[in-house]
């Protein structure tokens, strides 16, 4: 082997050793970062899991309570706006009109509850579309 080839061979060997040393340093740094970040990631994963469970529970409770709240609102509306003269009247026409107004209020409450459900469904669809 001539002197030039020997020099080339030694330069390549030196470059390989330096690259191996640099790679070892990088591996060490990566291991330190991994050791530092792994517990943080585990904590975050645990927190997100707990939050997801809480949100699922709250959503379930909201779906369970919403119709009851709508019914209470309907009853409250009936109490807030009584039909004038119904309790004191003995006229069958007034009683029939009061019954008709009561039926209309009940149907209105059912429609309001349905519209509330539709609104929640549309909101949920919108959130699902935005996540895509």
């Amino acid at each position: 082997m001539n002197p030039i080839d020997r020099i080339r061979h030694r330069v390549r060997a030196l470059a390989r050793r330096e690259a191996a040393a640099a790679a070892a340093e990088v591996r060490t740094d990566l291991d330190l970062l991994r050791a530092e970040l792994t517990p943080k990631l585990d904590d975050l994963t645990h927190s997100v899991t707990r939050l997801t469970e809480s949100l699922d529970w709250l959503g379930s409770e909201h779906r369970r309570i919403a119709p009851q709240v709508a019914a209470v609102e309907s009853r409250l509306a009936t109490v807030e706006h009584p039909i004038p003269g119904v309790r004191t009247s003995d006229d069958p026409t007034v009683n029939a009109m009061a019954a008709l107004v009561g039926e209309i209020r009940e149907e209105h409450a059912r429609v309001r509850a349905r519209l509330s459900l539709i609104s929640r469904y549309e909101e949920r669809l919108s959130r699902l579309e935005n996540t895509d």
Side-chain angles (χ1 to χ4, degrees):
M1 179 182 297
N2 68 31
I4 293 177
D5 289 339
R6 272 194 312 247
I7 291 172
R8 279 188 192 144
H9 179 65
R10 287 183 183 155
V11 167
R12 287 183 188 140
L14 181 61
R16 281 193 297 269
R17 274 187 258 140
E18 288 177 2
E25 289 175 8
V26 168
R27 273 191 219 99
T28 303
D29 290 343
L30 286 174
D31 289 342
L32 290 173
L33 281 173
R34 185 178 294 119
E36 181 182 334
L37 293 177
T38 299
K40 292 178 182 180
L41 180 62
D42 292 343
D43 290 345
L44 284 174
T45 302
H46 180 69
S47 295
V48 167
T49 301
R50 280 192 335 221
L51 285 173
T52 302
E53 291 169 356
S54 295
L55 285 174
D56 289 345
W57 181 81
L58 286 172
S60 173
E61 288 297 302
H62 181 264
R63 283 187 294 278
R64 184 182 65 82
I65 292 173
Q68 296 171 11
V69 171
V72 168
E73 280 183 3
S74 173
R75 290 180 190 141
L76 184 61
T78 302
V79 172
E80 285 177 343
H81 306 292
I83 303 170
V86 170
R87 292 190 178 103
T88 59
S89 177
D90 291 332
D91 186 3
T93 306
V94 171
N95 290 335
M97 287 189 318
L100 182 61
V101 168
E103 289 177 26
I104 291 170
R105 283 183 173 172
E106 288 173 11
E107 183 61 26
H108 179 70
R110 286 191 288 270
V111 168
R112 238 185 7 240
R114 288 183 191 125
L115 288 175
S116 173
L117 288 172
I118 290 170
S119 174
R120 283 198 314 266
Y121 178 74
E122 286 177 346
E123 177 188 344
R124 187 173 177 197
L125 280 177
S126 172
R127 282 185 285 156
L128 287 172
E129 288 172 353
N130 289 336
T131 58
D132 290 342

